[in-house]
Amino acid sequence: MPIHILPPEVANKIAAGEVVERPASVVKELIENAIDAGASEIRVEAREGGRRLIRVQDDGCGIPAAEVELAFARHATSKLHTAEDLARIATLGFRGEALASIAAVSRLTMLTRAAEEPTGTLLRLEAGQVVTREPRGMPPGTTVTVEHLFFNVPARLKFLRAAATEAGHIHQIVTRYALAYPERRFSLVSDGRLTFQSTGSGKRYDVLVKVYGLEVAKQMLEIGGSRVSGSAALAAQPASLQPLNLEPIVSGYVGVPSLHRANRQQITFYVNRRWIRDTSLAYAVVQAYHTLLPAGRFPVALLFLELDPAAVDVNVHPTKAEVRFSDERAVFQAVQREVRRVLVDQAPVPTMAMPPSAWPSPEWVRRQTLVEAGERTARQLAIELHRPGETPARPPGAEPSPLPMLRLVGQLGATYIIAEGPEGMYLIDQHAAHERILYEKLMAEKATASVSSQGLLEPLPLELTPLQAALVEEYLELLRGVGFQIEPFGGETYLVRGVPALLAVGDPRQALVEIIEGLSQDEELLAQEREEELVRLICKQAAIKAGQTLSVQEMQELVRQLERTASPRTCPHGRPTMIHLSAEQLAREFGRT
Ligand code: ADP
Ligand code: MG
């Protein structure tokens, strides 16, 4: 075929793919347009998770009748004129792509009236082509209705998730903007039901309560509202006179340390009220909580960064969800400092005074010394390997032993192990404990790329459902990295030639199917989070189950290995591995004190 320029319909469809990934992306772009239009009330409606219908109505400035068609042309925008403008973007939109993209892949109706014109316009497009245009009487503002999204892009349509999942994404988008713009009223009606509403009171805390619930909101600490006045003074000066301030003003909310989650997804950032994804900044927050949270748990944070538009590049990605800072380091440090400050100021770290050994026994003393002498080095090594980068290197010997040496007492209900330590009794969940041991072992092996894989005598054909096959495809590299020797065998069949050594004893087919079932479909997970999740799933399969009777040796070995882990008190999913009843508590219960 000779080289030729694609016809505009095809080019538009290709470009639309970058902006419109799913119904929630449409909602996002339309809300941004409403905000840029100065709307004070924004109503969102969705049917069937937005597959059937998405409608966004605003009371903003509207579009003059003469410009309505133009708004749907690619690279048509009223928000940007020159290349210099691109360097200081103060609106949410600027690429002039959203309307063109959405219209290219749907049936779209726009009703709009500019405040200064007497009547409005109705414009209807199908696959980007105008099919109807007529004047309409209406109040000022804009309503965009998008029906049958992706009707002409079967590939995309196929990849949409269940209506409930898509509705969930839409809900997330609406609440995201409501939090950023508390002075505007947002509402969301999903399949005829009002599922979210903000008051527009201007108080961010009110929206916080609506989005996170009162229980969580009560456990959030407010950051630096006071410093915002500085930025107002700055904004009052003409732009040309302002020194470029590379350091952001940080405000928002962070959870008290007792409020924690299994992953980083509750750490949220906005830059100049634009929601962004930034793993490096999330890390800054995690670091600020260092030592305050249980291992493997993550804080909840909602942070707003304000900085000179010239100090941040938002033109990085078509969906505008990633930004580049001129001085990344300054931003990182400001976030970390402000979060740490509020934590130290408002939530003093409870000093857990270690009770004096209320249960003295010479044996403890002896075993404790043993740990200090030799075994600790091994454990520290495991910590380093387990979370590279997250655990700052400590001088040897500085870390307190996370779990005392325990003496085995027995098994309970073929599920729990009873042990005693210097400070009382420990009831250990054998499954959770074994999961923790295996998790740290596997993570350590992964870190040194020495995961042991066990070849199967005969390759195992694995027939999957289309959804399962899609997941395996997505996770193929990660699965191989943890010891699965697995290859596509046509259609939805895979051939398994080897499994992680940990899984070699049981039924590998069963284990693998369970693992695939457990894989997350969340596309926003980072590769590293996916990998950790995968390792957790493997450990869950490989670990001793509840109901398994264990020999004394097995239990002793389990307890011994648990003692050596970096985080013995929780399983990789964050649930406790043990319940501790202190000697003091026991004495109290029995009325001995
Ligand atoms: P961008 O937002 O990047 O400018 P869009 O394709 O989203 O590009 O919109 C194109 C133009 O249409 C905008 O620049 C704006 O002038 C106009 N427009 C879109 N939506 C609205 C709205 N809800 N109210 C007023 N004007 C709008
Ligand atoms: Mg836009």
Side-chain angles (χ1 to χ4, degrees):
M1 239 200 275
I3 299 177
H4 63 286
I5 294 197
L6 289 170
E9 318 86 76
V10 183
N12 277 349
K13 236 161 132 178
I14 292 172
E18 294 187 341
V19 181
V20 190
E21 190 199 340
R22 57 174 4 142
S25 348
V26 172
V27 174
K28 169 184 183 289
E29 293 297 336
L30 296 180
I31 289 179
E32 291 195 348
N33 282 348
I35 292 171
D36 285 343
S40 54
E41 170 140 23
I42 298 165
R43 299 179 197 215
V44 181
E45 192 187 332
R47 287 199 211 136
E48 293 176 18
R51 287 154 157 257
R52 176 168 289 273
L53 177 141
I54 296 162
R55 178 174 290 144
V56 176
Q57 182 180 3
D58 70 57
D59 58 357
C61 65
I63 305 178
E67 294 173 15
V68 181
E69 268 112 335
L70 193 56
F72 289 89
R74 189 158 298 277
H75 309 306
T77 180
S78 57
K79 302 169 191 176
L80 196 69
H81 289 280
T82 62
E84 286 88 76
D85 294 344
L86 201 53
R88 334 179 38 98
I89 286 163
T91 48
L92 291 169
F94 57 87
R95 300 172 63 97
E97 279 192 322
L99 288 182
S101 295
I102 298 165
V105 293
S106 68
R107 303 201 166 98
L108 186 149
T109 309
M110 175 179 269
L111 269 167
T112 186
R113 184 190 139 193
E116 63 281 2
E117 295 184 352
T119 49
T121 309
L122 175 147
L123 192 72
R124 193 165 276 152
L125 301 93
E126 269 191 41
Q129 302 299 311
V130 177
V131 291
T132 314
R133 182 200 162 112
E134 53 198 46
R136 268 294 162 95
M138 60 173 286
T142 303
T143 302
V144 177
T145 307
V146 174
E147 286 163 288
H148 303 288
L149 183 66
F150 299 138
F151 79 96
N152 55 347
V153 195
R156 269 294 152 88
L157 202 54
K158 208 174 70 188
F159 278 101
L160 287 186
R161 310 271 171 166
T165 310
E166 298 298 342
H169 283 286
I170 292 175
H171 191 267
Q172 191 179 36
I173 292 287
V174 175
T175 55
R176 205 176 262 174
Y177 286 94
L179 281 163
Y181 292 87
E183 75 284 7
R184 307 185 196 224
R185 271 160 63 92
F186 286 83
S187 64
L188 171 61
V189 172
S190 192
D191 289 325
R193 212 163 50 84
L194 179 70
T195 55
F196 174 79
Q197 190 165 33
S198 67
T199 60
S201 68
K203 296 197 195 94
R204 184 161 284 145
Y205 190 77
D206 292 350
V207 192
L208 188 77
V209 170
K210 287 256 160 75
V211 175
Y212 288 77
L214 186 59
E215 265 321 297
V216 171
K218 277 199 296 204
Q219 300 177 66
M220 301 282 268
L221 307 167
E222 188 169 3
I223 289 190
S226 58
R227 293 180 64 223
V228 175
S229 56
S231 77
L234 206 66
Q237 288 182 31
S240 54
L241 292 181
Q242 288 174 24
L244 191 57
N245 194 355
L246 299 174
E247 178 152 316
I249 292 161
V250 182
S251 65
Y253 296 87
V254 294
V256 296
S258 56
L259 182 72
H260 44 71
R261 298 283 184 255
N263 55 45
R264 286 183 187 75
Q265 284 175 42
Q266 292 288 331
I267 306 176
T268 312
F269 294 98
Y270 295 80
V271 171
N272 295 341
R273 303 225 257 179
R274 180 195 305 280
W275 178 90
I276 58 146
R277 245 194 311 264
D278 194 313
T279 41
S280 153
L281 286 184
Y283 181 51
V285 173
V286 171
Q287 273 202 336
Y289 279 81
H290 185 64
T291 72
L292 300 180
L293 297 183
R297 303 291 292 177
F298 298 93
V300 176
L302 176 71
L303 294 173
F304 294 87
L305 276 51
E306 266 182 68
L307 78 175
D308 194 314
V312 48
D313 182 4
V314 293
N315 187 25
V316 175
H317 195 265
T319 62
K320 301 162 284 181
E322 278 162 38
V323 299
R324 299 256 186 288
F325 299 106
S326 318
D327 188 348
E328 205 173 323
R329 205 179 145 78
V331 178
F332 186 96
Q333 284 173 346
V335 166
Q336 193 175 18
R337 187 188 58 231
E338 293 306 310
V339 174
R340 188 73 192 180
R341 193 204 314 266
V342 74
L343 288 174
V344 171
D345 281 0
Q346 299 194 37
V349 186
T351 42
M352 291 263 280
M354 279 303 261
S357 274
W359 206 327
S361 141
E363 206 208 341
W364 298 123
V365 181
R366 204 171 51 76
R367 291 188 63 195
Q368 206 75 54
T369 336
L370 237 167
V371 181
E372 267 153 24
E375 297 185 26
R376 171 171 293 161
T377 13
R379 184 187 296 138
Q380 271 180 347
L381 200 64
I383 298 169
E384 301 291 350
L385 297 176
H386 169 211
R387 295 164 68 192
E390 286 209 15
T391 314
R394 291 192 199 83
E399 197 192 9
S401 166
L403 195 68
M405 303 299 281
L406 299 176
R407 184 179 74 81
L408 177 72
V409 177
Q411 196 182 20
L412 198 69
T415 301
Y416 304 109
I417 295 170
I418 307 170
E420 71 161 341
E423 288 127 35
M425 183 187 112
Y426 294 79
L427 202 54
I428 300 168
D429 182 320
Q430 64 193 37
H431 173 67
H434 199 208
E435 265 187 297
R436 163 56 66 189
I437 294 164
L438 296 177
Y439 178 75
E440 294 197 4
K441 180 171 184 295
L442 202 51
M443 288 305 280
E445 286 182 0
K446 266 209 60 54
T448 53
S450 61
V451 179
S452 34
S453 175
Q454 168 91 55
L456 299 177
L457 284 180
E458 261 179 55
L460 181 73
L462 199 64
E463 277 155 36
L464 300 171
T465 68
L467 192 64
Q468 288 173 332
L471 272 170
V472 169
E473 191 57 45
E474 224 170 294
Y475 277 82
L476 203 54
E477 278 317 302
L478 291 179
L479 283 164
R480 286 179 179 151
V482 295
F484 283 106
Q485 300 164 33
I486 182 168
E487 57 202 50
F489 196 64
E492 267 110 42
T493 305
Y494 282 81
L495 212 55
V496 185
R497 296 187 182 276
V499 296
L502 285 181
L503 289 175
V505 277
D507 174 358
R509 178 196 297 273
Q510 175 69 18
L512 186 52
V513 169
E514 293 276 348
I515 288 166
I516 294 166
E517 285 289 302
L519 291 176
S520 173
Q521 303 184 12
D522 187 342
E523 313 94 297
E524 289 189 6
L525 284 189
L526 301 175
Q528 195 196 337
E529 289 171 321
R530 290 186 166 200
E531 187 167 83
E532 283 172 14
E533 184 56 37
L534 179 59
V535 170
R536 279 193 284 268
L537 287 166
I538 292 172
C539 295
K540 186 172 173 195
Q541 287 307 312
I544 297 164
K545 304 284 180 301
Q548 238 167 295
T549 311
L550 302 178
S551 70
V552 170
Q553 281 90 336
E554 284 173 321
M555 287 189 278
Q556 270 170 344
E557 194 47 40
L558 192 79
V559 170
R560 195 98 354 122
Q561 289 185 13
L562 184 64
E563 289 169 359
R564 292 197 194 114
T565 59
S567 313
R569 287 168 205 276
T570 53
C571 82
H573 302 92
R575 288 188 294 275
T577 52
M578 62 178 70
I579 293 171
H580 175 209
L581 268 179
S582 70
E584 225 170 87
Q585 258 173 301
L586 285 169
R588 208 177 325 115
E589 291 292 330
F590 286 106
R592 286 177 162 273
T593 47

